[in-house]
Amino acid sequence: MSRPQPATPQPATPPRVAPALHAALEEELDAAVALRHALHRDPRLSGDEADSRDLVLGALADVVPDGRTPDPVADTGAMVRLGAPAEEGTPAVAVRAELDALPVVERTGLPFSATGAAAHVCGHDVHVAALVAVVRAIGRAGADALPAPLLAVFQPREEKAPSGAADVAADPAFVAHRVGAMLGVHVQPELPRGTVSVRGGPVNASADEIEIEVHGRGGHGGYPHRTRDAVLALAEIVSGVHHIVSRRVDPMAAGVITIGQMTAGSAPNVVPETASARGTVRALDADRDEMLAAVRDVVEGTATAYGCTATLTVVPNEPAVVNDDALARTVAASLGGRRRDDRAGGNANGHGGRSGDADGAGEPTGLVLDTTFRSCGADDFSHYGDVLPSLMLFVGTTPAGSTPGEGPGLHHPEFSPDDAMVGEVARALLASVVAAGAALVATTAEPADPLV
């Protein structure tokens, strides 16, 4: 499927958030932090987000325009539109925030920590609270403070298939809103605090699960020549697939293969008949299909070399998140400030230099702009990019004095951004919404049909 491109050029003068709208957002942040605590304290897993959705809709009830009700989407999600109705043919800027938590037992020790077997250790509670603050601020200040309507999408099932984003993108209710640009944001501990990263092109990798099963001939551990050792064959397969990136992938392209689970045997003196492994194959700008084909070559060829047979099952998950170049340029210009990659001592990986502070940042976000960050993490936000121009931003969480990557990261039981991150994410979102809306209005061309 060809990726749609926006018809709008970058505005000559980067748009800024109206002072009244900026002030309204600041006034909403305390309530947004309280909402974040409520979501964090009582998380819901993928597919079971109805309670979280209802909590969000309750927080927005007094700013939804009269006569307009939120649209249900993807079973347990919801959408709220501010500004001109879709029936008038006005394209909207959509913002996605994820409702679901992970099946992890939290170890943060926070006073609002979750106590069950689910936890918001990926920052989704921050994303949702920030988007609620943005919607409420627009509702109070008036949607005419925006260049284009806003569609807030509270999406279920980001963490687990079937993909909530894929279901939203294909839902007729979403299509009817005539979305011209899609925005998302993610907190990122690989970036220093006070940084927002915006760039075009691939920023998150595709992610496919692989399941390998090796079949041999079992037997006695003292008579290995009578067996065909499935464990040995699997061990060589695991070693072999980890060499694929270094020898079968263009060194200028990014990809990674990880085997995270191996299972075999029932006793130390028995050569088992079967052995299995599971892992992931991720491609940022490496060729996804070529990587999977190489895995199959290694699995089947290595098993044969050891007198065994093997099967490879690929469970497709998410395509790569590819940011629209024009939308990225427009939003980056609106965020303003000195770029982090231009600052003394910085490098292409975003480490080093005077990172972690916000000097040189532009209004209204108070964040330093980074244009280098990307990772082999994955996100189902990629499905929006398959049907309309989309942009994922990343906001750093690592505090000054700490090195990104050393503390608890995404999905770790101790990961939890501090409450001030709600405001930082909200400011970045609001500035991006204004910029994207101005770009939509700047053209007389029709926005791409999301289904084309």
Side-chain angles (χ1 to χ4, degrees):
M1 179 183 297
S2 61
R3 190 176 301 278
Q5 298 296 317
T8 54
Q10 179 178 329
T13 302
R16 297 297 188 194
V17 176
L21 184 52
H22 180 63
L25 178 65
E26 296 302 312
E27 292 172 2
E28 289 293 339
L29 294 181
D30 286 345
V33 167
L35 175 64
R36 184 262 172 125
H37 290 182
L39 291 166
H40 194 101
R41 185 181 295 111
D42 193 18
R44 293 291 184 270
L45 296 175
S46 304
D48 187 36
E49 302 95 340
D51 289 341
S52 296
R53 174 203 62 202
D54 293 345
L55 188 62
V56 167
L57 294 180
L60 295 175
D62 62 329
V63 297
V64 176
D66 291 341
R68 194 180 298 178
T69 58
D71 293 322
V73 69
D75 298 325
T76 52
M79 301 182 295
V80 175
R81 184 182 179 109
L82 298 182
E87 294 77 18
E88 294 183 6
T90 305
V93 175
V95 181
R96 186 284 300 265
E98 320 93 308
L99 291 167
D100 55 339
L102 283 158
V104 173
V105 177
E106 184 173 347
R107 297 202 308 263
T108 63
L110 292 168
F112 53 91
S113 174
T115 57
H120 276 292
V121 291
C122 199
H124 292 183
D125 54 330
V126 174
H127 307 162
V128 170
L131 181 53
V132 166
V134 169
V135 175
R136 286 193 55 81
I138 295 168
R140 290 179 53 211
D144 55 356
L146 294 179
L150 169 69
L151 181 68
V153 179
F154 297 98
Q155 180 206 300
R157 289 182 278 108
E158 192 278 325
E159 297 288 1
K160 184 179 179 181
S163 163
D167 286 349
V168 171
D171 195 308
F174 176 78
V175 175
H177 281 285
R178 295 177 54 80
V179 173
M182 190 82 190
L183 302 175
V185 66
H186 210 294
V187 294
Q188 180 49 259
E190 295 292 328
L191 286 170
R193 186 68 178 271
T195 301
V196 56
S197 183
V198 183
R199 61 171 292 163
V203 293
N204 270 165
S206 63
D208 299 301
E209 291 185 15
I210 56 172
E211 300 176 359
I212 302 165
E213 187 162 337
V214 180
H215 301 269
R217 181 193 303 159
H220 196 294
Y223 303 90
H225 60 297
R226 302 297 186 191
T227 72
R228 296 293 180 265
D229 194 338
V231 172
L232 179 59
L234 180 63
E236 291 294 332
I237 288 170
V238 170
S239 178
V241 297
H242 282 118
H243 287 294
I244 287 172
V245 171
S246 68
R247 287 298 176 266
R248 296 282 293 272
V249 172
D250 183 341
M252 303 304 293
V256 63
I257 298 172
T258 297
I259 301 298
Q261 183 179 30
M262 298 175 66
T263 305
S266 59
N269 60 345
V270 176
V271 175
E273 186 174 2
T274 63
S276 62
R278 298 177 66 199
T280 62
V281 177
R282 297 170 183 260
L284 186 59
D285 42 19
D287 189 295
R288 179 184 187 184
D289 293 334
E290 287 185 4
M291 288 184 67
L292 291 170
V295 171
R296 188 172 299 279
D297 290 344
V298 170
V299 168
E300 295 177 352
T302 305
T304 298
Y306 283 86
C308 300
T309 61
T311 58
L312 173 68
T313 302
V314 177
V315 182
N317 280 345
E318 314 300 347
V321 175
V322 181
N323 280 346
D324 182 85
D325 287 328
L327 188 57
R329 288 194 300 270
T330 296
V331 169
S334 75
L335 292 173
R338 193 176 348 152
R339 296 190 179 196
R340 180 167 171 263
D341 41 304
D342 290 339
R343 303 170 75 186
N347 59 37
N349 293 321
H351 298 298
R354 295 162 51 217
S355 62
D357 54 51
D359 63 306
E363 293 297 338
T365 65
L367 300 172
V368 172
L369 178 65
D370 173 89
T371 58
T372 64
F373 179 78
R374 57 188 198 150
S375 83
C376 281
D379 196 299
D380 74 349
F381 186 79
S382 56
H383 291 286
Y384 299 112
D386 282 342
V387 294
L388 69 151
S390 66
L391 179 68
M392 173 68 80
L393 298 83
F394 300 95
V395 180
T397 65
T398 296
S402 299
T403 301
E406 287 188 349
L410 299 171
H411 294 200
H412 190 282
E414 296 173 14
F415 176 74
S416 183
D418 65 58
D419 286 338
M421 286 301 306
V422 173
E424 294 189 16
V425 171
R427 295 181 196 106
L429 278 180
L430 184 57
S432 301
V433 166
V434 170
L440 287 178
V441 171
T443 180
T444 56
E446 290 292 310
D449 184 337
L451 294 183
V452 174

